[in-house]
Amino acid sequence: MAEGAPTTARLRAVLNRAGHVVIVEGPPDAVDRADLARTVVSGTEIADLARLLAIVDGGTGDRCRCTGWPTILVYDVHGERIARWVLHHQSGLRGLGDCDADLRDGPALTEWLAERGLTHSREVQSELAAQEAEADRRRTRWVRAAPAGLSDAAVDVAHPPGRDHMAWSRQLKEAKERLATLSRQRYPDAIERIRVLLAWAGIPSRESTGGLQWYDMAVQEQLLGEDPAFVLAAAATRPSSPVRLDGAAELFGSTQWTGAHGRGLPKPLRSMLIEHIQEAGTDAMRFRMSHGYYGARRTV
């Protein structure tokens, strides 16, 4: 690998010596596979490629751990290979210096490749865009489900403004602390507070994408920080709504709860949860029930 930070000037210096460039829609260790789409760039198109491969000078200071694709093989006028670069996540370039570098216009390069028959990058980008759109919709549903008086704080938890990982983590921690403080102020009675939080905690159980996101964890962490005796009492209090029972099933089936308090639940609460799960539970709830996460094992 070339030494020094990657720059657009270095990239263009290499491409100025190029006789042709082969771009293979696969990782570096698969470039000889006959079934992979490829395109050959020569003549004036090399200048177009140089423009599309322009990077943010200096690089990221790091290297992505994945192998990356497509692979770009640069050959001089004598047919000798003089460079091998790899695209990462359709937004970065590796092989030009001592670290990866961000492309200045990854989408433009993706479209240019698709015009030449290398469509996989565009397909992946389309899938990622759809996933991101659904992630945004899920965050919106979570915020809208926030208990009265907590919506603004919920927005801060769901959308921490930090631009890098450290700043994002710091902003998220502060937002979660504000949410917890506001929850105690808005709902000073512990039983009432836990009941509204349980209903909020039930929202992710019905999401098609599954799993808990960081904002879901903010609610579960609050519940885990409450007096467990109050949590059990609040969960068992009638009347209870289906979404509150969903939240109770998620909390009492979590490894954080069972690790601290075991799998056993008071019989009235266990019976109420099992009845709910048998009638309208998710597959995940039924699995946990069949494995004794709520106490006695039940078949469904």
Side-chain angles (χ1 to χ4, degrees), residues 256-295:
Q256 292 87 346
W257 177 273
T258 58
H261 309 293
R263 294 187 176 186
L265 294 175
K267 186 176 179 179
L269 175 57
R270 183 174 70 243
S271 297
M272 185 165 60
L273 271 184
I274 288 176
E275 180 181 357
H276 169 68
I277 294 170
Q278 287 177 329
E279 291 181 356
T282 65
D283 288 343
M285 293 176 195
R286 292 171 186 270
F287 174 86
R288 291 194 294 265
M289 183 176 69
S290 68
H291 285 75
Y293 275 74
Y294 308 115

Side-chain angles (χ1 to χ4, degrees), residues 164-183:
D164 57 51
H165 179 72
M166 291 186 62
W168 186 90
S169 298
R170 183 179 65 254
Q171 294 286 355
L172 175 60
K173 182 176 183 293
E174 294 171 354
K176 288 162 66 175
E177 290 172 351
R178 288 195 298 272
L179 177 62
T181 298
L182 189 59
S183 297

